[in-house]
Amino acid sequence: MVTLGYAHARSGRPHSRLAVALGAAALAAAVTIAAFDARAQSSQSASPSDKADTLRAIKVRGYFVCGVAGDRPGFSFPDSKGVMQGLDADICRSVAAAIFGDPEKIRFTSLTSLTRFPALQSGEVDMVARFTTWTLTREASLGLDVASVYFYDGQGFMVKKSLGVKSALELDGATVCVNQGSTGEANMVDFFRAHNLGLKPVVIEKIEQIRDALASNRCDAYTNDASQLGSLKLSMGPAGDEYILLPDIISKEPLGTFVRKGDQRFFDTVRWTYIAMLTAEEYGITKANIDTFRKTRDPQIQRFMGETGDLGAALGLDAQWAVNVVKTVGNTAELWDRTIAVLGIQRGVNRLVKDGGIQYAPPMR
């Protein structure tokens, strides 16, 4: 079982191999990322006005549109009835519940690493919750904001057990698959360069192609966020038992909800919806017991429950917005237990501060 935490691998012995392959890898990654950013920035001209009222538009439309991957078990994957399930899907549902009181007033749009930002910038979706890392350049140059960080992750490696590899430091000269348009490309190149290791990158856009490349031995390893490695391993069924996740975590990957910049009210709605789920966990409020808190004398919980104060009005929402979120979707612990725990990933740093993690809810007052 993988526990999420951050510890960079130490350098191994110096290596005399010529860095031709590594230089080519760095150049290829730089070109790919530069091209991606150029496409994303060019689409800003098609973005809604900075004065757009996304919350009002959603209410008029009658449903919330959320961008997800749609092909990642544990995060967003349709069940046998075609209903989207997973952490990302439930993060989306929580926003619909806050706005409408109904988490099913939602439409999911499946997006790739390359299409997620243009889809949000153009207004095709209202929000993206697609295990997307919060970075300076994404927030400063793409016209986007991160409203909340709902998963603190880190990049790792998955390899076949038969290779006998126990650490990423043993991947000298390896052929490594990585998703196109992801932060993982640059992280991978940085790691191999820092440890003087040879690298043969294989840049692929779709997860199905990654799976095929691993099965056909086109790649020795696959690098992505640890959560995504666990998701892929689970999706492979019995064949997933042939692979292991190496212990090395080579980056910080805070996964957030992305919205368009300049629409403060909707930003606030998304941010405080997540904070409401954190707050509920802190108070011990769950889907099952929330109604028992209606008669509490605790002023903080009274405000949370909408019995006193005007928190809902401040956000342009119903007084019961937080109650609706928890009663229909759950608190943060409930989301984790039903979506991520099955991937074999311990909560680690994603626990509340009081439990030794780094998740912390600002006061709802």
Side-chain angles (χ1 to χ4, degrees):
M1 183 172 286
V2 175
T3 301
L4 290 180
Y6 306 106
H8 291 276
R10 294 179 180 177
S11 299
R13 57 181 175 79
H15 199 279
S16 60
R17 177 182 297 245
L18 292 176
V20 174
L22 184 56
L27 178 60
V31 170
T32 298
I33 295 171
F36 159 70
D37 285 344
R39 283 195 299 274
Q41 291 183 46
S42 67
S43 67
Q44 289 188 53
S45 59
S47 300
S49 165
D50 284 350
K51 296 182 179 180
D53 189 339
T54 304
L55 181 60
R56 180 177 180 279
I58 292 169
K59 289 180 177 180
V60 170
R61 185 196 305 139
Y63 58 89
F64 172 55
V65 183
C66 198
V68 297
D71 60 357
R72 306 296 171 94
F75 287 83
S76 57
F77 194 82
D79 62 17
S80 59
K81 297 181 180 179
V83 179
M84 197 68 74
Q85 303 290 354
L87 179 63
D88 291 349
D90 282 348
I91 289 292
C92 294
R93 286 192 177 94
S94 68
V95 177
I99 296 172
F100 296 109
D102 183 353
E104 300 311 317
K105 287 192 174 182
I106 190 169
R107 302 279 176 86
F108 291 102
T109 298
S110 296
L111 303 170
T112 69
S113 295
L114 294 178
T115 62
R116 55 188 167 177
F117 295 134
L120 180 56
Q121 293 164 330
S122 68
E124 179 184 345
V125 298
D126 301 312
M127 184 183 89
V128 167
R130 190 194 178 279
F131 47 87
T132 299
T133 303
W134 180 16
T135 69
L136 184 152
T137 52
R138 286 175 173 176
E139 190 167 70
S141 63
L142 298 183
L144 306 176
D145 270 328
V146 175
S148 63
V149 174
Y150 61 92
F151 195 124
Y152 289 93
D153 207 349
Q155 186 172 333
F157 295 86
M158 185 173 81
V159 300
K160 276 192 174 181
K161 292 178 181 178
S162 59
L163 289 179
V165 174
K166 303 299 183 183
S167 166
L169 293 172
E170 299 174 40
L171 293 175
D172 185 24
T175 301
V176 183
C177 279
V178 66
N179 287 96
Q180 184 178 13
S182 69
T183 56
E185 290 184 70
N187 291 339
M188 174 185 68
V189 171
D190 286 348
F191 175 79
F192 276 76
R193 175 185 290 164
H195 297 285
N196 197 26
L197 302 174
L199 170 67
K200 300 173 184 175
V202 177
V203 182
I204 299 177
E205 181 181 2
K206 296 184 178 179
I207 193 64
E208 295 85 358
Q209 297 169 322
I210 295 280
R211 189 182 294 113
D212 292 341
L214 287 168
S216 64
N217 295 316
R218 183 183 173 195
C219 298
D220 299 314
Y222 172 43
T223 185
N224 202 333
D225 296 349
S227 59
Q228 298 313 303
L229 299 179
S231 176
L232 175 61
K233 189 173 183 294
L234 178 67
S235 73
M236 298 171 79
D241 293 335
E242 299 177 12
Y243 297 86
I244 60 170
L245 274 62
L246 299 180
D248 313 79
I249 297 297
I250 67 171
S251 71
K252 294 184 292 185
E253 305 294 334
L255 310 183
T257 48
F258 280 70
V259 298
R260 288 181 291 274
K261 203 178 279 288
D263 192 342
Q264 190 63 45
R265 170 157 288 192
F266 184 59
F267 174 92
D268 291 343
T269 297
V270 175
R271 165 171 283 182
W272 286 95
T273 293
Y274 181 68
I275 291 173
M277 291 189 289
L278 280 175
T279 301
E281 182 181 356
E282 289 182 349
Y283 290 154
I285 301 174
T286 68
K287 290 178 68 174
N289 70 15
I290 190 167
D291 285 334
T292 66
F293 286 83
R294 290 192 181 278
K295 296 182 179 181
T296 180
R297 294 186 177 183
D298 186 323
Q300 297 182 84
I301 297 179
Q302 285 180 338
R303 286 193 294 271
F304 178 88
M305 299 293 293
E307 300 298 322
T308 60
D310 55 359
L311 298 182
L315 293 171
L317 302 174
D318 183 89
Q320 296 289 299
W321 67 279
V323 172
N324 293 335
V325 170
V326 177
K327 195 167 187 177
T328 60
V329 181
N331 66 32
T332 41
E334 291 178 291
L335 265 66
W336 185 279
D337 289 344
R338 69 169 177 259
T339 60
I340 304 303
V342 296
L343 301 180
I345 299 175
Q346 294 182 2
R347 197 170 173 189
V349 295
N350 289 287
R351 293 175 296 178
L352 298 178
V353 166
K354 70 183 183 68
D355 297 323
I358 60 175
Q359 289 279 16
Y360 184 91
M364 294 180 64
R365 60 172 182 258

